Amino acid sequence: MRVSRWIDGTVTVSVAAAPEKLHRFLSLIARAGLPVWDIRRREGRLWFSLSAREAARLRPLARRSRVRPHFCRKEGLPFCRKWALRRQGLLWGALAGWALVAWLSGCIWQIRVTGCQGLSENQVLAAAREEGVFPGCRLSQVDLDSAARAMQTRLPKAGWITVNTQGCLAEICLSERTEPQPAQEETPCNLVAECSGVIESISVLEGVAVVPAGSVVEKGQLLVSGVQQNRDGSFHLVHARAIIQARTRYTLAAQAPAQTQELRYTGEKTERARLLFFSFPIPLTLRAVPQGWYVRRSGGQSVPLLQGDTPLFLQWEQYRPVERVQKEQSRQEMEAQAENRLLLQALRELDGCTVLGSQSADTWTQTGLIREKVYECRQKIGVEQEILLH
């Protein structure tokens, strides 16, 4: 009843008159069939309530009773609507606030990563951003299952990844791959020389040594055999194992040209920045990208607010114009360049070797310097070679 009265609107009427006039007024109201309630009478004054739509029918009854009713209180939806129409700013503000809250509730505002051990949270968050999962993205525009599969492709160390949501919180759960321990190989095999050298020491764990210490061996030569003879004269196959140390020699060469090209800065750097708000770019600078050759640096970071992530992401770029120029190198520069190139080759090709000494020889030509260096090394040269049974 109260709800229906609030929807229709309620008017509280106050009437002050002589008792006989009030009595006549109430009689006319009852005869007219007007629904009234909360009738109160005290000290020559009458109060009652009725529906707002029936208030207009009181005027002829009041004239016949010679009384003057006063509307002292108005309640209900019709009067709230009139109040809201007089204050449209509040109405539109409330509607805009409701729409904003409804829209923002469909976004991801916080991302939590669990299960990281070797991987860092920044790596996982960067992969998630590449797949469209970042603070401020719309849940309806992101396929979380597809994003999780794509993130697993971007992060080879991750065994599995899943993205769960709870309200505006996205939780990235992952489990990293564990490298399986290599199984003990029992396939019959021999040990052969990985490269040429002089055997310094040989310690056989399984198999039969074919060459003694101090022997000169060539690449691919048999060192330890996986064929063992039994006491009864028969043979059986084993997986040969041994620690074989040998002195080896490697010759590396590198060239340093007499003329080289280098990049030279030709002007001031140009900086550009933009702000990503819900993935919408907002330019912060109006500078254009320079023409010609340039060196570009870029970066970005989230804009934190109240110790939490926000849909604001700041991106910046720097451009430095450059030009290519020919430069004549001095003898010292060519020697340093050749030495650096030899060092890089040695790090790549002499992996696992202990360098005991080196000798270098330089050859100068019209085009530059050719430096050859001979490295004396110590290394383990035994590699497995499977015994094929026919």
Side-chain angles (χ1 to χ4, degrees):
M1 180 66 71
R2 291 183 178 179
V3 175
S4 62
R5 289 178 181 178
W6 186 87
I7 294 175
D8 294 337
T10 301
V11 177
T12 301
V13 182
S14 173
V15 182
E20 58 274 11
K21 292 183 179 180
L22 294 178
H23 180 73
R24 176 174 172 79
F25 186 48
L26 288 175
S27 299
L28 292 175
I29 289 174
R31 190 179 301 171
L34 284 177
V36 296
W37 59 89
D38 292 341
I39 301 174
R40 303 183 301 279
R41 183 175 178 182
R42 187 176 59 186
E43 297 179 358
R45 182 174 289 274
L46 176 69
W47 289 273
F48 60 89
S49 301
L50 77 161
S51 176
R53 67 178 62 182
E54 304 289 347
R57 296 176 58 187
L58 285 178
R59 297 186 181 277
L61 302 179
R63 285 196 297 268
R64 292 175 58 183
S65 304
R66 301 186 179 220
V67 297
R68 297 185 62 180
H70 298 278
F71 299 103
C72 59
R73 188 175 180 182
K74 300 177 182 179
E75 297 176 326
L77 180 61
F79 305 106
C80 293
R81 183 177 57 187
K82 292 180 181 179
W83 177 86
L85 291 177
R86 288 197 301 268
R87 298 166 176 82
Q88 294 191 13
L90 294 176
L91 177 62
W92 289 111
L95 292 176
W98 177 84
L100 181 63
V101 171
W103 191 79
L104 295 179
S105 62
C107 299
I108 294 176
W109 291 108
Q110 186 178 4
I111 300 178
R112 185 169 59 197
V113 181
T114 59
C116 286
Q117 295 179 357
L119 292 170
S120 66
E121 291 190 7
N122 292 333
Q123 290 177 304
V124 179
L125 292 176
R129 176 173 286 274
E130 292 293 333
E131 300 305 327
V133 181
F134 54 88
C137 69
R138 296 288 298 171
L139 281 170
S140 58
Q141 298 176 357
V142 179
D143 187 349
L144 298 180
D145 294 334
S146 300
R149 290 192 295 268
M151 288 171 58
Q152 189 170 349
T153 303
R154 291 180 178 273
L155 302 172
K157 291 184 179 180
W160 60 267
I161 297 179
T162 181
V163 182
N164 304 318
T165 58
Q166 182 178 2
C168 297
L169 170 67
E171 184 176 10
I172 302 176
C173 303
L174 61 92
S175 175
E176 298 185 9
R177 296 182 186 273
T178 56
E179 295 295 334
Q181 296 295 330
Q184 188 70 23
E185 182 63 55
E186 295 297 339
T187 303
C189 68
N190 299 322
L191 291 182
V192 299
E194 181 181 3
C195 58
S196 302
V198 179
I199 303 297
E200 287 188 333
S201 64
I202 179 168
S203 176
V204 178
L205 304 177
E206 190 78 29
V208 179
V210 178
V211 295
S215 302
V216 178
V217 296
E218 298 293 333
K219 181 179 180 180
Q221 182 176 339
L222 179 63
L223 303 179
V224 178
S225 174
V227 180
Q228 283 187 337
Q229 185 176 10
N230 302 321
R231 293 181 178 180
D232 59 359
S234 61
F235 295 91
H236 70 278
L237 302 178
V238 297
H239 184 91
R241 299 183 182 88
I243 301 175
I244 307 172
Q245 296 281 356
R247 292 176 66 96
T248 57
R249 177 177 294 182
Y250 293 89
T251 301
L252 303 179
Q255 183 178 3
Q259 290 186 347
T260 183
Q261 287 188 346
E262 67 176 15
L263 297 178
R264 180 180 299 171
Y265 293 118
T266 60
E268 297 294 331
K269 63 183 178 182
T270 300
E271 296 184 352
R272 305 176 70 219
R274 65 177 182 173
L275 189 67
L276 297 181
F277 180 69
F278 293 104
S279 300
F280 298 107
I282 303 175
L284 301 180
T285 56
L286 300 179
R287 297 179 180 178
V289 177
Q291 300 294 327
W293 293 88
Y294 54 80
V295 176
R296 177 180 177 271
R297 296 178 60 231
S298 63
Q301 63 180 5
S302 298
V303 180
L305 182 63
L306 298 178
Q307 299 181 353
D309 293 331
T310 64
L312 299 176
F313 190 80
L314 179 64
Q315 288 185 337
W316 57 268
E317 298 172 333
Q318 288 184 356
Y319 298 88
R320 293 280 309 263
V322 295
E323 63 178 0
R324 289 184 176 181
V325 295
Q326 292 285 343
K327 178 187 175 184
E328 293 287 342
Q329 295 198 103
S330 63
R331 292 178 64 93
Q332 293 79 6
E333 289 175 336
M334 286 188 284
E335 290 176 353
Q337 185 179 24
E339 189 65 28
N340 290 334
R341 291 183 176 180
L342 279 173
L343 178 59
L344 293 177
Q345 288 188 45
L347 291 175
R348 181 174 60 253
E349 298 184 20
L350 304 184
D351 185 25
C353 300
T354 301
V355 178
L356 303 178
S358 63
Q359 293 181 351
S360 60
D362 295 342
T363 303
W364 295 92
T365 64
Q366 294 181 350
T367 58
L369 168 66
I370 300 176
R371 173 168 291 185
E372 292 185 353
K373 183 172 285 192
V374 179
Y375 292 90
E376 294 286 342
C377 304
R378 177 183 291 119
Q379 68 180 106
K380 297 178 180 180
I381 64 171
V383 293
E384 296 178 357
Q385 185 182 67
E386 184 179 356
I387 299 176
L388 300 178
L389 301 177
H390 298 283

